[in-house]
Amino acid sequence: MTNQCQGDANKMIGILKKLGNTVICLVFTLTIEVQAEPSIQKRSEIEGDIRVLLVAQNEAQLSSQMNGRITQFNVDEGDLFKKGEILLAFDCKEQQANLQMSEAELTIAKKTYQAQLKLSKMSAASELDVAIAAAEVEKAKATNDLNQVVVQRCVVEAPYDGWVVKRLANPYENVAFGAPLLTIIDNSPLQLDLFVPSHWLSWLNVGHGFSLKIDETGKHYSALVQTIGAKVDSASQTVAVKASLTGKQKELLAGMSGTANF
């Protein structure tokens, strides 16, 4: 073999070594990608199955605390209200009259007690007379307190800022104690309820962020895991998770649903 042939052979060997290294790198890269692909596919499949329900933190059915006739309804379905606002009122002329009478009886009882004390100091009244007068004051005060409670029930005040979901009675209707009057809801802030596979407990933590798409709006939102259930449902092998939205979204309402992507 000539020197020139020997040089050409060495060059070919060098080129083949470089090509070999490149092929090895490509095969290694493809191997990593092929190995990673199943986990990505698996996560995507799981993400698509997680449904989310928007739930109000406060929802209540307000019932009548007395027997009476409704004289005033200040809200209707869909109306917004503020905490402390009077939602409806009853005809309470009789209850208010009873309160006025008990206030007068309390005043009389107090004056009688003071008079008995003065008489007692002048030895004109016995200790028993003073004790009876003091008891009459306590009795009148208890009656007056009871009547005040009854009159307070003549109006139904909003326990928090919210919306009227449904009106269950109408003005001028006579309702009994315990009769449902209104269903109300507090849409701010909304809570997210979802169930995730129990094997996610190996990596899912409180504060974990995720995105979700709400079906009704077609928009994407961000949320954070707030609590993770303390028990796994043995039948479905899922665990309950509660989450909260980041930021305020006025267009969202309780009852909407969507899909979470972790």
Side-chain angles (χ1 to χ4, degrees):
M1 182 178 294
T2 64
N3 292 335
Q4 184 177 357
C5 291
Q6 183 66 42
D8 293 340
N10 291 336
K11 287 180 181 179
M12 287 299 295
I13 292 172
I15 292 171
L16 289 173
K17 285 182 178 179
K18 290 180 180 179
L19 288 173
N21 291 335
T22 302
V23 171
I24 291 172
C25 289
L26 287 172
V27 170
F28 182 73
T29 303
L30 289 173
T31 302
I32 292 175
E33 291 179 354
V34 169
Q35 288 176 346
E37 190 175 0
S39 62
I40 293 173
Q41 289 179 342
K42 185 178 180 181
R43 177 66 62 80
S44 300
E45 291 172 1
I46 294 172
E47 288 172 356
D49 295 332
I50 305 302
R51 295 293 296 171
V52 178
L53 178 65
L54 274 64
V55 180
Q57 293 196 14
N58 294 309
E59 182 173 4
Q61 185 180 81
L62 304 182
S63 301
S64 175
Q65 296 297 301
M66 60 182 295
N67 298 320
R69 184 170 66 96
I70 300 171
T71 57
Q72 184 180 352
F73 236 117
N74 297 329
V75 290
D76 207 339
E77 293 182 7
D79 285 350
L80 289 169
F81 55 78
K82 294 291 185 182
K83 180 180 179 180
E85 184 177 333
I86 295 177
L87 304 178
L88 64 97
F90 288 90
D91 178 6
C92 277
K93 294 186 181 70
E94 181 181 350
Q95 290 81 355
Q96 289 170 346
N98 289 335
L99 176 60
Q100 291 176 353
M101 186 166 61
S102 65
E103 288 174 344
E105 290 175 348
L106 177 59
T107 301
I108 292 172
K110 288 180 177 178
K111 291 185 182 254
T112 301
Y113 174 67
Q114 293 297 328
Q116 290 294 339
L117 280 178
K118 290 180 180 178
L119 290 174
S120 175
K121 290 178 181 177
M122 294 184 293
S123 300
S126 65
E127 292 183 358
L128 178 61
D129 293 334
V130 175
I132 291 174
E136 289 294 335
V137 171
E138 294 300 320
K139 178 182 176 182
K141 186 175 182 304
T143 302
N144 189 59
D145 290 345
L146 178 61
N147 285 327
Q148 285 182 347
V149 171
V150 172
V151 170
Q152 287 174 357
R153 292 174 178 173
C154 292
V155 296
V156 176
E157 296 182 352
Y160 45 75
D161 296 352
W163 299 40
V164 177
V165 177
K166 193 170 185 179
R167 205 173 77 177
L168 304 169
N170 295 302
Y172 310 113
E173 281 187 0
N174 287 301
V175 297
F177 180 90
L181 302 172
L182 287 169
T183 301
I184 61 173
I185 197 169
D186 176 11
N187 271 337
S188 177
L190 291 171
Q191 176 180 288
L192 305 178
D193 282 0
L194 57 156
F195 291 88
V196 302
S198 58
H199 65 83
W200 283 24
L201 292 175
S202 61
W203 57 268
L204 186 64
N205 297 309
V206 172
H208 190 97
F210 64 96
S211 63
L212 68 151
K213 181 181 178 182
I214 298 299
D215 296 342
E216 286 79 359
T217 64
K219 295 181 180 178
H220 291 82
Y221 305 89
S222 298
L224 295 173
V225 173
Q226 294 299 323
T227 62
I228 299 175
K231 183 180 179 181
V232 173
D233 183 85
S234 58
S236 61
Q237 289 297 297
T238 58
V239 62
V241 171
K242 294 185 184 299
S244 61
L245 293 162
T246 57
K248 294 182 178 179
Q249 295 81 21
K250 294 182 178 179
E251 71 273 18
L252 297 181
L253 300 173
M256 290 183 173
S257 60
T259 304
N261 294 305
F262 283 81

